[in-house]
Amino acid sequence: MKKLNLLALTVTYVLGLGFASCADDVTPAAKDQSANASTKTSTSKVASTPWVKQFEDTFDVGSSLSQWTKEQRADYNSWYCDYASSVPTTQWRDGKQCLEIKTTKLSTYKYQSGFISSHYQYKPENNTEYMLSANIKLVAMDGGNYKSFTQTYGAWPAFWSVQQNAWPTKGEIDIMEGYSFAPNSSRFASNLFYGTSSGTNQLGNSAERNYPGNFDINANGGWHLYESFWKMKDNVVTVTIKVDNVTISTYTNSSAGNLNLNNFGPHSIIFNLNVGSKDSNFIDPNKINLFSTVMMWVDDVTVYKRPI
């Protein structure tokens, strides 16, 4: 999620890289479950030795999200989205206990949504690797009917890690940024941001890497495993982004001019769902269509560490 002011906002809008076509309706694999069902004790992401779990949230229904800051502010990238601390909640969705962030239209050009950042922070020490994983579903609703995320226009969900203080001097790793452009194809990408001065991104969008054209957001019932592998081996830093165990992008200091991964971190984990942009050429506010709501569901998030 780019944290840029309007004058610095530079967005590469690539329509030529299409993704799988949308379905007419997207129905969850299972009905929402009652809150008296059994409580999860672990996430679905389990890594064996030598991986050691460092952080986990299973988003059990009733959780106060005490491991997170629920932000209350306007989005940095959009004139049209305000974050409310009341929006992120835990709900039963698709038979899973999930974090839910959902949009609400407040007026013609104003939407309310959610943004959470973890209190937990991490960065790799030399000869260690961290694995950040989250199971996420993006979906819309039109009244009582589920719709594909790809049928919407103007939604901008993201799963990322960052040090928000003095951004971007400690870097930013975007694992998943989604952009909906119906009736055109939605777009998904990873990205990095970095600069030596607070408020100035020196990479532009040179580190943006589009997901492959065969990525289908509606596959697997809409659920996908998004991961960041962040390692330092003999003082050389590498960041690898994977989706459903398939490598999307690999970054080293040679991946973009002015990039210095050795200065990244420590990072918090971020989930947010933005609407619109400050650049009307990128997202036209007059075309925004989220039906009744767009939702991000997160089944679980973990961080594991291992020596390398």
Side-chain angles (χ1 to χ4, degrees), residues 22-34:
C22 62
D24 290 336
D25 291 284
V26 176
T27 303
K31 296 294 185 180
D32 296 347
Q33 304 296 308
S34 62

Side-chain angles (χ1 to χ4, degrees), residues 17-20 210-216:
L17 292 173
F19 287 84
N210 286 288
Y211 284 20
N214 61 1
F215 174 69
D216 183 0

